[in-house]
DNA sequence: TTTCTTACA
DNA sequence: TGTAAGGA
């Protein structure tokens, strides 16, 4: 990739890593699903977390969910994630890096639970 | 060359 | 969602 190892990637790298078009990535940002950083020149810079988030969005999109549903799910997921105690999960990274793992099905259900 | 915004034969 | 235009 153009910026391997830095931890921040331009949109071209994100297209390759997520399989989403730059058009879609920018559109999702306008819809409030992601908030990438900007360089002084105005170019977007995505973190690994942003990319993981986009991959989850793509999976839900491919599963037939509309953007509205996806946005709600992610907001619920992340709001609940902040409220989870260390008793439920080993670490936040473990959850973020695992795209709906079967081994953590119970925790996943808890994260997606509507409050 | 890559990315950005705006706009739609 | 894709793509063209025009600038950075």
């Amino acid at each position: 990739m153009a910026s391997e190892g830095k931890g921040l990637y331009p949109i071209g790298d994100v297209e390759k890593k997520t399989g989403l078009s730059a058009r879609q990535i920018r559109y999702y940002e306008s819809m409030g699903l992601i908030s990438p950083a900007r360089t002084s020149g105005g170019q977007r810079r995505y973190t690994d977390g942003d990319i993981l988030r986009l991959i989850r969005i793509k999976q839900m999109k491919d599963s037939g969910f509309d953007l509205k549903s996806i946005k709600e799910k992610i907001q619920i997921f992340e709001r609940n994630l902040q409220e989870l105690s260390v008793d439920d999960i080993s670490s936040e990274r473990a959850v973020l890096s695992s795209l709906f793992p079967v081994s953590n099905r119970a925790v996943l259900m808890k994260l997606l639970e509507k409050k």
Side-chain angles (χ1 to χ4, degrees):
Chain A
M1 298 298 173
S3 44
E4 200 57 73
K6 296 198 322 57
L8 288 179
Y9 316 84
I11 200 163
D13 284 2
V14 182
E15 288 190 276
K16 298 170 187 169
K17 288 174 176 294
T18 67
L20 290 167
S21 66
R23 176 76 163 81
Q24 291 176 300
I25 296 169
R26 297 191 186 104
Y27 178 60
Y28 296 161
E29 179 184 350
S30 74
M31 291 291 95
L33 277 64
I34 50 174
S35 302
R38 294 277 187 151
T39 64
S40 54
Q43 295 195 344
R44 275 164 271 247
R45 286 294 119 91
Y46 300 82
T47 63
D48 293 303
D50 290 327
I51 293 174
L52 224 41
R53 196 190 174 84
L54 285 168
I55 288 174
R56 276 197 271 110
I57 292 173
K58 175 176 169 55
Q59 295 185 322
M60 291 185 75
K61 163 192 162 52
D62 292 343
S63 295
F65 290 93
D66 54 48
L67 251 50
K68 179 244 300 167
S69 300
I70 294 175
K71 184 175 183 179
E72 293 179 343
K73 277 301 183 197
I74 289 181
Q75 294 183 321
I76 292 171
F77 181 91
E78 291 179 342
R79 174 158 54 69
N80 289 348
L81 182 60
Q82 290 186 29
E83 299 173 357
L84 278 182
S85 67
V86 292
D87 296 324
D88 298 314
I89 54 176
S90 54
S91 69
E92 178 177 321
R93 171 166 168 45
V95 174
L96 291 177
S97 62
S98 56
L99 305 175
F100 302 169
V102 180
S103 58
N104 287 317
R105 179 73 68 202
V107 174
L108 173 62
M109 289 301 103
K110 210 166 183 178
L111 290 170
L112 297 178
E113 182 180 311
K114 185 85 174 186
K115 287 189 177 178

